């Protein structure tokens, strides 16, 4: 079975305060884009039939080392497969082999690992002929990480709570983006939340408007001006302070013609909204030219992509029955 697992952007991201247990209450708009990993699942019978086993193989085109992408049982793919088996009592005599073709950079704010975990839950559910509903899969996803449930529904969703309470945002806008990831910088989620707390002294910021509300209504009404105004990420001051070069890259994206330039999730990946796929290509060329002319950016290696919005987070491409 081949499953596509898409990256996400956070069109908005605000922190409202702390939740019991130390998590942060957030408001965000998640948006899937067509930067995707491909997961190939094979199911083989194992000799010991007490516990589902997982074997991972990485085929990487991003330069991520296997150190960044754990191939052991702490990988979210393995955790997701085991959580599915535990919750359904299915698959105890199976070894699930997963070949992962990685395109989404790791620890980049694009939730590649979370998407892979959701794709695993969907693949196993499909393999066993859908014993669980989407909402049951989403509940399991939420036990594995705060932004994994989004990928069960996919497309565009408003996320609240830790990010696991989701409401679909139906809209007809086709969004085009230009995406930039500095290769040498990876940011962990716990680190960014800790730094944010230190930066704000844990004082919730008084907000004049809700970016989530503005962004949702902009999408629903096809209002590009309001959409551009609503795009934000409360981690930006923290990331720009720790990595000033990311702020420089943001400036370059605006100079190259992006309508906006923001960090996605915990960063450091930046995305810019454009008016069309063709404009994304133009912006990419102008941006790379701009970087080439800047001596202070000579040392910074970048990955860049053009991308478009998707209506799903996880999709099954081929499905073969149990061998
Ligand atoms: O849920 P997830 O595993 O993605 O979270 C990783 C870490 O990020 C948590 O342990 C917590 O420190 C932080 N986090 C948070 N508030 C959220 C989501 C994540 O503080 N809403």
């Amino acid at each position: 079975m081949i499953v596509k697992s898409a990256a996400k952007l956070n069109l908005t991201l605000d922190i409202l305060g702390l939740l019991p247990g130390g998590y942060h209450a957030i408001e965000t708009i998640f948006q899937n884009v067509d930067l995707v990993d491909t997961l190939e699942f094979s199911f083989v019978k194992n000799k010991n039939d007490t516990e589902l086993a997982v074997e991972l193989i990485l085929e990487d085109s991003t330069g991520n080392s296997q150190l960044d992408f754990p191939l052991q049982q702490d990988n979210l793919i393995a955790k997701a497969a085991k959580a599915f088996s535990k919750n359904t009592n299915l698959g105890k005599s199976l070894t699930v082999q997963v070949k992962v073709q990685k395109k989404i950079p790791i620890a980049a704010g694009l939730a590649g690992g979370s998407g892979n975990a959701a794709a695993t839950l969907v693949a196993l559910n499909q393999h066993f002929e859908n014993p669980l509903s989407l909402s049951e899969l989403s509940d399991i996803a939420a036990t594995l990480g705060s932004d994994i449930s989004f990928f069960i529904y996919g497309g565009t969703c408003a996320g609240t709570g830790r990010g696991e309470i989701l409401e679909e945002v139906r809209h007809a806008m086709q969004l085009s983006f230009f995406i930039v990831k500095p290769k040498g910088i990876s940011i962990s989620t716990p680190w960014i939340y800790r730094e944010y707390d230190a930066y704000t002294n844990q004082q919730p910021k008084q907000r004049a408007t809700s970016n989530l509300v503005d962004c949702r209504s902009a999408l629903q009404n096809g209002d590009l001006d309001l959409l551009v105004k609503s795009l934000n990420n409360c981690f930006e001051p923290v990331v720009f302070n720790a990595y000033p070069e990311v702020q420089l890259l943001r400036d370059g994206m605006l100079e190259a013609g992006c309508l906006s330039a923001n960090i996605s999730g915990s960063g450091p990946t930046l995305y810019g909204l454009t008016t069309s796929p063709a404009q994304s290509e133009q912006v990419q060329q102008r941006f790379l030219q701009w970087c080439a002319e800047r001596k202070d950016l000579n040392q910074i290696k970048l990955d860049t992509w053009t991308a478009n919005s998707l209506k799903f987070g996880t999709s099954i491409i081929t499905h073969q029955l149990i061998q």
Side-chain angles (χ1 to χ4, degrees):
M1 186 188 306
I2 294 179
V3 184
K4 297 278 181 188
S5 162
K8 62 88 178 134
L9 300 175
N10 295 85
L11 300 183
T12 74
L13 179 54
D14 287 291
I15 291 178
L16 307 186
L18 279 179
L19 292 167
Y23 276 84
H24 294 71
I26 67 167
E27 270 190 1
T28 187
I29 301 272
F30 292 113
Q31 174 65 58
N32 278 128
V33 289
D34 58 0
L35 171 59
V36 294
D37 292 339
T38 305
L39 276 59
E40 193 181 332
F41 290 87
S42 311
F43 301 92
V44 291
K45 290 229 173 285
N46 64 24
K47 287 185 201 105
N48 118 25
D49 60 359
T50 53
E51 208 187 340
L52 175 142
V54 181
E55 287 172 13
L56 295 167
I57 303 166
L58 176 68
E59 283 178 7
D60 182 77
S61 59
T62 61
N64 291 309
S65 75
Q66 301 208 341
L67 288 177
D68 301 325
F69 184 84
L71 292 174
Q72 279 66 43
Q73 303 306 306
D74 53 342
N75 189 297
L76 274 172
I77 293 173
K79 287 186 179 171
K82 289 182 175 188
F84 179 90
S85 176
K86 199 168 152 224
N87 276 273
T88 56
N89 234 351
L90 294 166
K92 285 184 171 171
S93 59
L94 279 188
T95 295
V96 183
Q97 295 170 335
V98 193
K99 206 187 273 178
V100 187
Q101 237 177 67
K102 203 80 197 143
K103 290 244 171 74
I104 307 171
I106 291 167
L110 300 170
S114 294
N116 292 176
T120 303
L121 292 174
V122 169
L124 282 164
N125 202 40
Q126 172 80 33
H127 180 76
F128 289 106
E129 297 174 344
N130 299 313
L132 299 182
S133 65
L134 286 187
S135 130
E136 287 167 328
L137 288 176
S138 170
D139 288 346
I140 300 176
T143 66
L144 300 167
S146 302
D147 58 5
I148 301 180
S149 300
F150 161 66
F151 292 88
I152 299 291
Y153 299 104
T156 314
C157 288
T160 53
R162 288 186 288 131
E164 87 290 16
I165 302 171
L166 297 157
E167 198 186 317
E168 187 186 355
V169 179
R170 287 189 193 195
H171 68 93
M173 288 185 93
Q174 299 284 332
L175 303 174
S176 297
F177 300 100
F178 170 52
I179 300 177
V180 176
K181 156 88 182 26
K183 271 183 189 280
I185 306 175
S186 302
I187 293 182
S188 87
T189 311
W191 180 85
I192 196 77
Y193 277 102
R194 265 200 317 275
E195 290 293 305
Y196 177 87
D197 285 343
Y199 169 79
T200 56
N201 234 347
Q202 292 198 354
Q203 292 302 312
K205 226 167 129 191
Q206 293 303 315
R207 292 170 312 139
T209 59
S210 162
N211 294 306
L212 179 146
V213 170
D214 283 354
C215 184
R216 184 172 52 199
S217 81
L219 289 167
Q220 287 168 338
N221 298 320
D223 183 340
L224 190 62
D225 287 341
L226 182 61
L227 179 62
V228 171
K229 278 190 203 126
S230 71
L231 301 177
N232 83 303
N233 183 323
C234 67
F235 291 137
E236 278 167 10
V238 179
V239 176
F240 293 160
N241 185 46
Y243 303 101
E245 61 274 37
V246 178
Q247 187 165 10
L248 263 184
L249 294 171
R250 193 269 317 260
D251 296 345
M253 291 170 72
L254 292 172
E255 204 151 307
C258 292
L259 301 174
S260 62
N262 292 94
I263 279 172
S264 178
S266 52
T269 304
L270 292 152
Y271 70 91
L273 185 68
T274 70
T275 51
S276 65
Q279 206 214 354
S280 293
E281 304 274 343
Q282 278 177 8
V283 160
Q284 184 175 35
Q285 280 180 16
R286 277 193 234 129
F287 174 80
L288 291 174
Q289 184 63 35
W290 179 87
C291 286
E293 286 164 7
R294 302 260 324 203
K295 286 212 175 66
D296 49 349
L297 290 176
N298 272 351
Q299 301 304 316
I300 299 181
K301 295 211 165 40
L302 301 173
D303 278 321
T304 65
W305 301 267
T306 58
N308 297 299
S309 53
L310 283 182
K311 298 241 172 271
F312 52 84
T314 299
S315 56
I316 294 174
I317 303 297
T318 59
H319 178 216
Q320 291 152 350
L321 288 172
I322 306 175
Q323 311 279 335

